[in-house]
Coordinates of all heavy atoms in Angstrom, one line a residue:
Y221 N 171.1 97.5 143.7 CA 172.2 98.1 144.5 C 173.2 97.0 145.0 O 174.3 97.3 145.4 CB 171.7 98.8 145.7 CG 171.0 100.1 145.4 CD1 169.7 100.4 145.6 CD2 171.8 101.2 144.8 CE1 169.1 101.6 145.2 CE2 171.3 102.4 144.4 CZ 169.9 102.6 144.7 OH 169.3 103.8 144.3
S222 N 172.8 95.7 144.8 CA 173.7 94.6 145.1 C 174.5 94.2 143.9 O 175.3 93.3 143.9 CB 172.9 93.4 145.5 OG 172.2 93.6 146.7
G223 N 174.3 94.9 142.8 CA 175.1 94.7 141.6 C 174.4 93.8 140.6 O 175.1 93.4 139.6
I224 N 173.2 93.4 140.8 CA 172.5 92.6 139.8 C 171.9 93.4 138.7 O 171.3 94.4 138.9 CB 171.3 91.8 140.5 CG1 171.9 90.9 141.6 CG2 170.5 91.0 139.5 CD1 170.9 90.2 142.5
D225 N 172.1 93.0 137.5 CA 171.6 93.7 136.3 C 170.1 93.3 136.2 O 169.7 92.2 135.6 CB 172.3 93.3 135.0 CG 171.9 94.2 133.8 OD1 170.8 94.7 133.8 OD2 172.8 94.3 132.9
V226 N 169.2 94.1 136.7 CA 167.8 93.8 136.7 C 167.2 93.7 135.3 O 166.4 92.7 135.1 CB 167.0 94.9 137.5 CG1 165.5 94.6 137.5 CG2 167.5 94.9 139.0
K227 N 167.6 94.5 134.4 CA 167.0 94.5 133.1 C 167.4 93.2 132.4 O 166.6 92.6 131.6 CB 167.4 95.7 132.3 CG 166.7 97.0 132.7 CD 167.0 98.1 131.8 CE 166.1 99.4 132.2 NZ 166.3 100.5 131.2
L228 N 168.7 92.8 132.5 CA 169.2 91.6 131.9 C 168.4 90.4 132.4 O 168.0 89.5 131.7 CB 170.7 91.4 132.1 CG 171.3 90.1 131.6 CD1 171.1 89.9 130.1 CD2 172.7 90.0 132.0
H229 N 168.2 90.3 133.7 CA 167.5 89.2 134.3 C 166.0 89.2 133.9 O 165.4 88.1 133.8 CB 167.6 89.2 135.9 CG 169.0 88.8 136.3 ND1 170.1 89.6 136.2 CD2 169.4 87.6 136.9 CE1 171.2 88.9 136.7 NE2 170.8 87.8 137.1
T230 N 165.4 90.4 133.8 CA 164.1 90.5 133.3 C 164.0 89.9 131.9 O 163.0 89.1 131.6 CB 163.6 91.9 133.3 OG1 163.6 92.4 134.6 CG2 162.2 92.0 132.8
L231 N 164.9 90.2 131.0 CA 165.0 89.7 129.7 C 165.1 88.2 129.7 O 164.4 87.5 129.0 CB 166.1 90.3 128.9 CG 166.4 89.8 127.5 CD1 165.1 90.1 126.6 CD2 167.6 90.4 126.9
I232 N 166.0 87.6 130.5 CA 166.2 86.2 130.6 C 164.9 85.5 131.1 O 164.5 84.4 130.5 CB 167.3 85.9 131.6 CG1 168.7 86.3 130.9 CG2 167.4 84.4 131.9 CD1 169.8 86.3 131.9
V233 N 164.2 86.1 132.0 CA 163.0 85.5 132.6 C 161.9 85.3 131.5 O 161.3 84.3 131.3 CB 162.4 86.4 133.7 CG1 160.9 86.2 133.9 CG2 163.2 86.2 135.0
F234 N 161.8 86.4 130.6 CA 160.7 86.3 129.6 C 161.2 85.4 128.4 O 160.4 84.7 127.8 CB 160.4 87.7 129.1 CG 159.4 88.4 130.0 CD1 159.9 89.3 130.9 CD2 158.1 88.1 129.9 CE1 159.0 89.9 131.8 CE2 157.2 88.8 130.8 CZ 157.7 89.7 131.7
M235 N 162.5 85.3 128.2 CA 163.0 84.3 127.2 C 162.7 82.9 127.7 O 162.4 82.0 126.8 CB 164.5 84.6 126.9 CG 164.7 85.9 126.2 SD 166.5 86.1 125.9 CE 166.8 84.8 124.7
I236 N 162.9 82.6 129.0 CA 162.6 81.3 129.5 C 161.1 81.0 129.3 O 160.7 79.9 128.9 CB 163.0 81.1 131.0 CG1 164.5 81.2 131.1 CG2 162.5 79.8 131.5 CD1 165.0 81.3 132.5
S237 N 160.3 82.0 129.6 CA 158.8 81.8 129.5 C 158.5 81.5 128.0 O 157.7 80.6 127.7 CB 158.1 83.0 129.9 OG 156.7 82.9 129.8
G238 N 159.1 82.2 127.1 CA 158.8 82.0 125.7 C 159.3 80.6 125.2 O 158.7 80.0 124.4
L239 N 160.5 80.2 125.7 CA 161.0 78.9 125.3 C 160.1 77.8 125.8 O 159.8 76.9 125.0 CB 162.4 78.7 126.0 CG 163.1 77.3 125.8 CD1 163.3 77.0 124.4 CD2 164.4 77.3 126.6
C240 N 159.6 77.9 127.0 CA 158.7 76.8 127.5 C 157.4 76.8 126.7 O 156.9 75.7 126.4 CB 158.4 77.1 129.0 SG 159.8 76.8 130.1
A241 N 156.9 78.0 126.4 CA 155.7 78.0 125.6 C 155.9 77.5 124.2 O 155.1 76.8 123.6 CB 155.1 79.4 125.5
G242 N 157.1 77.8 123.6 CA 157.5 77.3 122.3 C 157.6 75.7 122.3 O 157.1 75.1 121.3
L243 N 158.2 75.2 123.3 CA 158.3 73.7 123.4 C 156.9 73.1 123.6 O 156.6 72.0 123.1 CB 159.2 73.3 124.5 CG 160.7 73.7 124.3 CD1 161.5 73.4 125.5 CD2 161.3 73.0 123.1
A244 N 156.0 73.8 124.4 CA 154.7 73.3 124.5 C 153.9 73.4 123.2 O 153.1 72.5 122.9 CB 153.9 74.2 125.6
G245 N 154.2 74.3 122.3 CA 153.6 74.4 121.0 C 154.0 73.2 120.2 O 153.2 72.6 119.4
V246 N 155.2 72.7 120.3 CA 155.7 71.5 119.6 C 154.9 70.3 120.1 O 154.4 69.5 119.3 CB 157.2 71.3 119.7 CG1 157.6 70.0 119.1 CG2 158.0 72.5 119.1
L247 N 154.8 70.2 121.4 CA 154.0 69.1 121.9 C 152.5 69.1 121.5 O 151.9 68.1 121.2 CB 154.1 69.1 123.5 CG 155.4 68.8 124.1 CD1 155.3 68.9 125.7 CD2 156.0 67.5 123.7
S248 N 152.0 70.3 121.4 CA 150.6 70.5 121.0 C 150.3 70.0 119.6 O 149.4 69.3 119.4 CB 150.2 72.0 121.2 OG 148.9 72.2 120.8
I249 N 151.2 70.4 118.6 CA 150.9 70.0 117.2 C 151.1 68.5 117.1 O 150.5 67.9 116.2 CB 151.8 70.8 116.3 CG1 153.3 70.5 116.4 CG2 151.5 72.3 116.4 CD1 154.1 71.2 115.4
A250 N 152.0 67.9 117.8 CA 152.3 66.5 117.7 C 151.0 65.7 118.3 O 150.6 64.8 117.7 CB 153.5 66.1 118.5
R251 N 150.5 66.2 119.4 CA 149.3 65.5 120.0 C 148.1 65.7 119.1 O 147.3 64.7 118.9 CB 149.0 66.1 121.4 CG 149.9 65.6 122.5 CD 149.3 65.9 123.8 NE 148.1 65.2 124.0 CZ 147.1 65.4 124.9 NH1 147.3 66.4 125.7 NH2 146.0 64.7 124.9
L252 N 147.9 66.9 118.5 CA 146.7 67.1 117.7 C 146.9 66.6 116.2 O 145.9 66.3 115.5 CB 146.4 68.6 117.6 CG 146.0 69.3 118.9 CD1 145.8 70.8 118.7 CD2 144.7 68.7 119.4
G253 N 148.1 66.4 115.8 CA 148.4 66.0 114.4 C 148.2 67.2 113.5 O 148.1 67.0 112.2
A254 N 148.0 68.4 114.0 CA 147.8 69.6 113.2 C 148.2 70.8 114.0 O 148.1 70.8 115.2 CB 146.4 69.6 112.7
A255 N 148.5 71.9 113.3 CA 148.7 73.2 114.0 C 147.4 74.0 113.8 O 147.1 74.4 112.7 CB 149.9 73.9 113.4
E256 N 146.8 74.3 114.9 CA 145.5 75.1 114.9 C 145.8 76.5 115.2 O 146.5 76.8 116.2 CB 144.5 74.5 115.9 CG 144.0 73.1 115.6 CD 143.0 73.1 114.5 OE1 142.5 74.2 114.1 OE2 142.6 72.0 114.0
P257 N 145.3 77.5 114.4 CA 145.5 78.9 114.7 C 145.0 79.3 116.1 O 145.5 80.2 116.7 CB 144.7 79.6 113.6 CG 144.6 78.6 112.5 CD 144.5 77.3 113.2
A258 N 143.9 78.6 116.6 CA 143.3 79.0 117.9 C 143.9 78.2 119.0 O 143.4 78.3 120.1 CB 141.8 78.8 117.8
A259 N 144.9 77.4 118.7 CA 145.5 76.6 119.8 C 146.0 77.4 120.9 O 146.5 78.6 120.7 CB 146.7 75.8 119.2
G260 N 145.9 76.9 122.1 CA 146.4 77.7 123.3 C 145.5 78.8 123.8 O 145.9 79.5 124.8
T261 N 144.4 79.0 123.2 CA 143.5 80.0 123.7 C 143.0 79.7 125.1 O 142.5 78.6 125.4 CB 142.2 80.1 122.8 OG1 142.6 80.4 121.5 CG2 141.3 81.2 123.3
G262 N 143.3 80.7 126.0 CA 142.9 80.5 127.4 C 143.9 79.7 128.2 O 143.8 79.6 129.5
F263 N 145.0 79.3 127.6 CA 146.0 78.5 128.4 C 146.8 79.3 129.4 O 147.3 78.8 130.3 CB 147.0 77.9 127.4 CG 146.6 76.6 126.8 CD1 145.2 76.3 126.6 CD2 147.5 75.6 126.4 CE1 144.8 75.1 126.1 CE2 147.1 74.4 125.9 CZ 145.7 74.2 125.7
E264 N 146.8 80.7 129.2 CA 147.4 81.5 130.2 C 146.7 81.4 131.5 O 147.4 81.5 132.6 CB 147.5 83.0 129.8 CG 146.1 83.6 129.5 CD 145.6 83.4 128.1 OE1 146.3 82.7 127.3 OE2 144.5 83.8 127.8
T265 N 145.4 81.2 131.5 CA 144.7 80.9 132.8 C 145.2 79.7 133.5 O 145.4 79.7 134.7 CB 143.2 80.8 132.5 OG1 142.7 82.0 131.8 CG2 142.4 80.7 133.8
Y266 N 145.3 78.6 132.7 CA 145.8 77.4 133.3 C 147.2 77.5 133.8 O 147.6 77.0 134.9 CB 145.8 76.2 132.2 CG 144.4 75.8 131.8 CD1 144.1 75.4 130.5 CD2 143.3 75.9 132.7 CE1 142.9 75.0 130.1 CE2 142.0 75.5 132.3 CZ 141.8 75.1 131.0 OH 140.6 74.7 130.6
A267 N 148.1 78.2 133.1 CA 149.5 78.4 133.5 C 149.5 79.2 134.8 O 150.2 78.8 135.7 CB 150.3 79.1 132.4
I268 N 148.8 80.3 134.8 CA 148.8 81.1 136.0 C 148.2 80.4 137.2 O 148.8 80.4 138.3 CB 148.0 82.4 135.8 CG1 148.7 83.3 134.8 CG2 147.8 83.2 137.1 CD1 147.9 84.4 134.3
A269 N 147.2 79.6 137.0 CA 146.5 78.8 138.1 C 147.5 77.8 138.6 O 147.7 77.6 139.8 CB 145.3 78.1 137.5
A270 N 148.2 77.1 137.7 CA 149.2 76.1 138.1 C 150.3 76.7 139.0 O 150.7 76.1 140.0 CB 149.8 75.3 136.9
V271 N 150.8 77.8 138.6 CA 151.9 78.5 139.3 C 151.4 79.0 140.7 O 152.1 78.8 141.7 CB 152.4 79.7 138.5 CG1 153.5 80.5 139.3 CG2 153.1 79.2 137.2
I272 N 150.3 79.6 140.7 CA 149.8 80.2 142.0 C 149.3 79.1 142.9 O 149.6 79.1 144.1 CB 148.6 81.2 141.7 CG1 149.1 82.3 140.8 CG2 148.1 81.7 143.0 CD1 150.2 83.1 141.4
I273 N 148.6 78.1 142.4 CA 148.2 77.0 143.2 C 149.5 76.2 143.8 O 149.5 75.7 144.9 CB 147.3 76.0 142.5 CG1 146.0 76.7 142.2 CG2 147.1 74.7 143.2 CD1 145.1 75.9 141.2
G274 N 150.5 76.3 142.9 CA 151.8 75.7 143.3 C 152.6 76.4 144.4 O 153.7 76.0 144.8
G275 N 152.0 77.5 144.9 CA 152.6 78.2 146.1 C 153.5 79.4 145.7 O 154.1 80.0 146.6
T276 N 153.6 79.7 144.4 CA 154.4 80.8 144.0 C 153.7 82.1 144.4 O 152.5 82.3 144.1 CB 154.7 80.8 142.5 OG1 155.3 79.5 142.1 CG2 155.6 81.9 142.1
S277 N 154.4 83.0 145.0 CA 153.8 84.3 145.5 C 153.6 85.2 144.3 O 154.5 85.4 143.5 CB 154.7 85.0 146.5 OG 154.1 86.2 146.8
F278 N 152.4 85.7 144.2 CA 152.1 86.7 143.1 C 152.8 88.0 143.3 O 152.8 88.8 142.4 CB 150.5 86.9 143.0 CG 150.0 87.2 141.7 CD1 150.0 86.2 140.7 CD2 149.5 88.4 141.3 CE1 149.5 86.5 139.4 CE2 149.0 88.7 140.1 CZ 149.0 87.7 139.1
F279 N 153.4 88.1 144.4 CA 154.1 89.4 144.7 C 155.6 89.2 144.6 O 156.4 90.1 144.9 CB 153.7 89.8 146.1 CG 152.2 90.0 146.3 CD1 151.5 89.0 146.8 CD2 151.6 91.1 145.9 CE1 150.1 89.1 147.0 CE2 150.2 91.3 146.0 CZ 149.5 90.2 146.6

Side-chain angles (χ1 to χ4, degrees):
Y221 287 116
S222 297
I224 297 174
D225 190 334
V226 174
K227 288 189 175 182
L228 175 61
H229 285 74
T230 300
L231 176 62
I232 291 172
V233 157
F234 281 97
M235 289 181 69
I236 294 173
S237 180
L239 173 61
C240 291
L243 294 174
V246 173
L247 294 179
S248 176
I249 64 172
R251 284 198 61 199
L252 295 174
E256 294 283 350
T261 301
F263 275 30
E264 59 277 358
T265 302
Y266 293 146
I268 294 168
V271 174
I272 298 303
I273 293 169
T276 305
S277 175
F278 211 66
F279 305 94

